[in-house]
Amino acid sequence: MKNSVLCILCFMFFLSCTKGNKKDFLVNFETDERLKLSLIADSVSFFDVEENDSCLIGSTILNLCIDNGEIYIFDKKTLSIFRYTLDGKLINKISRRGLGPGEYQNIDDFYVKDSIVYIKQYINIYQYTLNGDFIKKDIIKDPQFIEDFVVSPSYYLAYYKADKYYFKEGVYLVSAIDQEAKPIVTPVRTYNFYTRQIYHFCKLNNNFYAFVDYLNGNIYHLNQDTAYVAYTFSVSKKNSAELLSTYNKDLKKNTYYNYYIHYIENDIFLLLFVYERKDKFYTTFYNKQTKQAMTGKSQTGENYFIDDLGNAQWIDTPYYSDNKLYVMIENPDSENRRFEVIYLKQH
């Protein structure tokens, strides 16, 4: 009897290990065809953002964020955050550049959550109201700067990238009060060299994020202060073991085949974008319900997807919010910035 139970337990353990080694999907770099936009979307719409002489004209948009039905755009030229309605109407500008109390000199990154604007400058994270009034400044006393962050209920959900001077790498919960940095996903290896919020974290709901560890083929779900591997994938080029064994001590940009990763997930599918040397773009679609995956390829200047919905343009990095993608596109009608809204499938 004992031997039978032992055999059953061993068989169950073998099955669990086998399942654990099986990848959910493949990023296939052997493809030459683009995917159809109707695979992921039902329709598209457009809106122009209201602009004037002091608002965005001639400047560079570096990042955007959406919170509570409003869109926030970071303008590099003026180091300001512009607040819009989702149909492009300007509400106000948040700009506190200076040397005085509650003022910043530069913006490394920003985030908006629950009607509070967070602006990061080096080790400082400033908090402002939606009208631009200063609330407080958190100081992260760590010699290694945070590369990227979003806001968790009591912490900053921060991403660190190691280099030859600093060794912290991965996703950490960082407290500005006791200066504790708690690792929740580590070690994380990534191909990214220029990190921004939208390249790493995908907001699934208010306190529920997702994160891609591309080099190791893991997609994590992070719920407040806990993380787990939700999906795994493999790539049809060099894997993490080969790269790390070759370039373990001196990881340089030109050693990588794929170095920009972008990730989007909703209730029924996920999209993983891999940018290869700035001229090739691979988009992998994985249906979470049918467990089917496919990869499409596009070249620089081409739409990521074949437009079978009509008038869609998609040649820039999208921002995901509330089952919609926001993509900045060229505006043939005026100098005002134009955004395309891609409505993703919900069933």
Side-chain angles (χ1 to χ4, degrees), residues 210-221:
F211 178 86
V212 178
D213 170 13
Y214 178 76
L215 193 56
N216 292 318
N218 296 321
I219 295 175
Y220 290 90
H221 282 180

Side-chain angles (χ1 to χ4, degrees), residues 65-79:
C65 189
I66 296 175
D67 181 66
N68 289 336
E70 295 176 345
I71 185 169
Y72 299 82
I73 298 175
F74 169 32
D75 171 31
K76 180 181 179 180
K77 183 178 180 180
T78 62
L79 291 178

Side-chain angles (χ1 to χ4, degrees), residues 65-67 69-70 86 203 319-326:
C65 189
I66 296 175
D67 181 66
E70 295 176 345
L86 286 182
K203 185 177 181 180
Y319 184 88
Y320 174 79
S321 177
D322 192 25
N323 212 47
K324 293 184 284 291
L325 299 179
Y326 295 81

